[in-house]
Amino acid sequence: GAVVSQHPSWVICKSGTSVKIECRSLDFQATTMFWYRQFPKQSLMLMATSNEGSKATYEQGVEKDKFLINHASLTLSTLTVTSAHPEDSSFYICSAPTVSGEETQYFGPGTRLLVL
Amino acid sequence: QKEVEQNSGPLSVPEGAIASLNCTYSDRGSQSFFWYRQYSGKSPELIMSIYSNGDKEDGRFTAQLNKASQYVSLLIRDSQPSDSATYLCAVIRGSARQLTFGSGTQLTVLP
């Protein structure tokens, strides 16, 4: 299957700082990427759809000013958690469909964020 | 009503048995259906995709789709302890490309 990478794999930060998470498609171009968040013992919840060359689309209840998304190129999307707080501690996972119109999505390995 | 529902389990089966995982969805416009496996602390891994009614087999895995009943299932034959994980049912609805996930079913295969 297609390969999607994320960096960093885990991060610990102090409350009030900002954290940037990168999502890269390694062997294909992705005009669209998706960002999910998963709390312990819960399923994945879609946060936003990242679109190359245009603004991200956020799901209801997700603060766009807190979770900044930049789709800088066809292989890179970044999620920045601004002024992180302990309640933002979670497992953040990105995914990308391989080809425009192809429905199958492949997930990155995830980034575990712990805000102290 | 949740958009995608799964029996949360936990489900335990002995090694070598058939594990049956079920999922229902609410949106009749749903077109694409997926089963992902997620090990603890890891991200989801695609197991099967199915788009049309009937069965689709891949090795020990068989996905079944019944759009009239809005039901999709995953059968795991000859279950192995390494199959122990949470299995997530996911659906793409209408023209959207986003996945909507069920809450997952935790499967334990007992040696």
Side-chain angles (χ1 to χ4, degrees):
Chain A
V3 180
V4 177
S5 71
Q6 278 184 248
H7 177 80
S9 57
W10 59 270
V11 59
I12 301 174
C13 69
K14 293 182 178 180
S15 184
T17 60
S18 294
V19 175
K20 179 185 285 189
I21 303 170
E22 294 184 349
C23 177
R24 293 182 185 271
S25 55
L26 297 184
D27 52 359
F28 65 99
Q29 294 181 333
T31 57
T32 301
M33 291 183 177
F34 301 99
W35 287 97
Y36 295 85
R37 180 167 54 180
Q38 186 176 36
F39 292 106
K41 305 292 187 183
Q42 295 185 23
S43 191
L44 282 76
M45 294 300 296
L46 179 67
M47 298 176 66
T49 301
S50 174
N51 304 299
E52 191 270 338
S54 64
K55 291 183 179 179
T57 304
Y58 291 82
E59 295 301 300
Q60 189 174 8
V62 178
E63 299 175 56
K64 62 179 181 180
D65 295 329
K66 180 171 181 60
F67 298 99
L68 301 179
I69 291 174
N70 181 24
H71 201 132
S73 72
L74 288 171
T75 59
L76 173 64
S77 174
T78 61
L79 168 67
T80 301
V81 184
T82 62
S83 186
H85 289 91
E87 58 266 30
D88 298 322
S89 299
S90 188
F91 191 39
Y92 292 86
I93 312 171
C94 70
S95 75
T98 53
V99 175
S100 179
E102 173 65 47
E103 302 290 10
T104 302
Q105 291 186 27
Y106 293 91
F107 284 83
T111 297
R112 196 163 299 281
L113 170 63
L114 177 60
V115 185
L116 301 176
Chain B
Q1 180 186 11
K2 291 184 180 179
E3 295 170 357
V4 181
E5 294 204 52
Q6 295 181 245
N7 43 339
S8 59
L11 173 66
S12 294
V13 300
E15 184 175 357
I18 296 175
S20 177
L21 305 165
N22 304 314
C23 174
T24 58
Y25 59 95
S26 61
D27 187 348
R28 284 195 174 273
S30 301
Q31 300 173 345
S32 307
F33 308 87
F34 306 87
W35 284 99
Y36 285 86
R37 176 175 63 194
Q38 186 175 27
Y39 292 112
S40 180
K42 302 294 185 181
S43 69
E45 171 193 10
L46 181 66
I47 297 296
M48 293 281 288
S49 61
I50 187 166
Y51 305 100
S52 55
N53 282 325
D55 296 358
K56 179 180 178 182
E57 186 175 319
D58 183 2
R60 296 186 296 112
F61 299 96
T62 299
Q64 299 173 318
L65 174 61
N66 184 326
K67 290 187 178 180
S69 300
Q70 296 175 241
Y71 173 91
V72 58
S73 66
L74 179 69
L75 298 177
I76 306 175
R77 291 181 300 281
D78 188 25
S79 296
Q80 303 297 309
S82 58
D83 294 328
S84 299
T86 296
Y87 288 79
L88 299 166
C89 174
V91 172
I92 291 181
R93 300 177 293 124
S95 59
R97 302 181 75 192
Q98 301 97 319
L99 289 166
T100 300
F101 283 90
S103 57
T105 298
Q106 185 178 345
L107 171 67
T108 300
V109 180
L110 304 170

